Amino acid sequence: MKKGTKILLFVVLPLLLIACVGTGVFLVAKEISAKNTFTNEINSLSETNMNTDIVSSGNYGKVEGLLKNDFKLYMESANKLVENYKKIEDLKPLNIEVYKADGPDFVETKATVNAIKEENAKINAELKKLISEEEIARKIEENALNTKFSDLYKEVLGNMQLKEGVNKIVEADTKFDEFLNSILKVLDYLIENKDKWFIENDILKSTDKTFIDEYNELIQNTNVEF
């Protein structure tokens, strides 16, 4: 009886070992496949591809989702800022046609400029939050990422250079905000001195030299590079 048992164990143990080795190979292959899928998905992201569908499995899928959402927010924010720059360019707030149509109180023009300022400030706050250490740590904790995958998330974020991109956007938009402020100063000055200027032959004119000098100085201050 004991002898039979020994033979049985001798037969079963190799089978268990083979099964374990087979499972290990399967898990390694699955890991490689998941990593390759993850890498291909992240590398496919571009200005024209902001797809947030998750195709990777397991923790790779969690990291893929975080990175895709980060990238989409970054690109949508940058595109919105560009749209707002274009709105101001199209508005031509200091153009004589605007003076004629919306002066002397410039209600619509000021409302448009202020709305863009507020939206840009909100976008900048979101972008700064996106790259903050606190936000990155929060997302890692929320998704229960272990060291391996939290490091992967941070590494790919670094490779995507979102932080550098955000810093450049914020710097440029700070200059743009200065430009908008300079525009508002011109409009406010025109409103405050509405009795000192008029339009003639599509030219702003005044009989008050001090007004003209101060107006020209304010116009000169709108030459902000951004």
Side-chain angles (χ1 to χ4, degrees):
M1 190 74 178
K2 290 182 179 179
K3 185 177 181 181
T5 303
K6 288 182 179 179
I7 294 173
L8 179 63
L9 289 174
F10 179 77
V11 172
V12 171
L13 284 176
L15 290 175
L16 288 173
L17 289 172
I18 292 171
C20 290
V21 171
T23 301
V25 171
F26 173 75
L27 291 175
V28 170
K30 188 176 180 181
E31 166 78 6
I32 293 173
S33 176
K35 187 173 183 179
N36 288 340
T37 300
F38 166 82
T39 302
N40 291 336
E41 280 298 305
I42 298 305
N43 287 340
S44 71
L45 295 176
S46 67
E47 293 182 13
T48 57
N49 178 25
M50 292 180 274
N51 178 25
T52 56
D53 293 340
I54 300 173
V55 298
S56 305
S57 59
N59 284 322
Y60 283 109
K62 290 182 180 180
V63 177
E64 178 192 336
L66 289 175
L67 291 168
K68 284 186 171 181
N69 285 329
D70 290 347
F71 182 75
K72 184 178 181 182
L73 174 60
Y74 171 80
M75 289 304 306
E76 288 180 343
S77 299
N79 290 337
K80 189 60 184 177
L81 289 173
V82 171
E83 286 178 17
N84 286 342
Y85 300 158
K86 188 70 167 58
K87 282 182 183 178
I88 292 296
E89 182 182 350
D90 292 341
L91 178 63
K92 295 181 175 61
L94 302 182
N95 185 278
I96 200 67
E97 294 302 321
V98 173
Y99 286 11
K100 289 161 60 177
D102 198 31
D105 296 310
F106 301 100
V107 174
E108 293 183 9
T109 307
K110 284 193 65 176
T112 300
V113 174
N114 280 317
I116 288 175
K117 276 176 59 66
E118 290 175 10
E119 184 172 35
N120 285 6
K122 181 179 178 182
I123 291 171
N124 271 302
E126 290 175 346
L127 285 173
K128 289 177 182 178
K129 180 181 178 181
L130 173 67
I131 61 171
S132 70
E133 294 297 328
E134 294 79 9
E135 180 66 6
I136 292 172
R138 183 192 68 78
K139 286 184 281 192
I140 288 173
E141 181 179 0
E142 191 175 80
N143 285 272
L145 297 178
N146 59 28
T147 301
K148 173 183 175 179
F149 287 97
S150 62
D151 287 347
L152 176 64
Y153 175 48
K154 293 176 183 178
E155 179 184 356
V156 178
L157 266 183
N159 292 338
M160 292 170 73
Q161 296 189 324
L162 290 192
K163 184 174 182 179
E164 292 81 355
V166 168
N167 288 337
K168 288 180 180 179
I169 288 173
V170 170
E171 181 181 356
D173 197 60
T174 299
K175 291 291 185 181
F176 184 66
D177 193 61
E178 291 178 17
F179 172 65
L180 296 183
N181 286 335
S182 68
I183 287 175
L184 290 173
K185 287 181 180 179
V186 173
L187 297 177
D188 285 338
Y189 186 73
L190 291 173
I191 294 169
E192 292 166 6
N193 297 276
K194 63 176 71 176
D195 59 330
K196 295 181 180 179
W197 61 275
F198 57 94
I199 304 295
E200 185 177 276
N201 298 324
D202 286 344
I203 298 173
L204 183 146
K205 295 184 178 181
S206 176
T207 57
D208 188 322
K209 185 178 184 304
T210 300
F211 168 82
I212 291 297
D213 289 342
E214 291 178 346
Y215 170 76
N216 286 335
E217 183 178 354
L218 288 171
I219 290 293
Q220 186 64 33
N221 291 339
T222 63
N223 294 323
V224 178
E225 294 184 4
F226 57 89

